[in-house]
Amino acid sequence: MAPRLRIAILYPGEMGTVLGGELAAAGHEITTYVGERGARTRQSAKAAGFAMAESLAAALRGADLIVSLVPPGQAVAAAKAIGATRRA
């Protein structure tokens, strides 16, 4: 059996919620930060088994894998935000 991973899925919309749900069902711990997201995203992520972090840094802390699902135009800003938390 594969080891249990702690996976941070950032900015989970419909695709990220489905992916995280499948990974959670496979036994992995899924974390996210949805502070700037809407109520629908929060509800979907919780229903899929995501653990809700209080900040981006907390969502990334201890993650074995980070999955960032953003539109191409937001990729650089997302990478910078992730990088800033990793350097802190």
Side-chain angles (χ1 to χ4, degrees):
M1 181 172 185
R4 182 173 195 248
L5 298 175
R6 182 165 199 243
I7 303 170
I9 296 185
L10 302 180
Y11 320 113
E14 187 175 334
M15 182 172 56
T17 300
V18 170
L19 174 64
E22 292 295 320
L23 291 167
H28 300 291
E29 177 187 358
I30 310 301
T31 63
T32 194
Y33 172 62
V34 292
E36 295 103 25
R37 304 296 299 228
R40 180 178 171 194
T41 297
R42 286 185 185 98
Q43 292 168 347
S44 296
K46 276 188 176 184
F50 285 50
M52 301 294 154
E54 69 277 0
S55 67
L56 178 59
L60 300 176
R61 194 173 299 121
D64 298 301
L65 176 67
I66 299 168
V67 179
S68 177
L69 299 166
V70 297
Q74 296 176 354
V76 171
K80 286 180 179 179
I82 293 165
T85 65
R86 304 311 279 179
R87 286 188 295 274

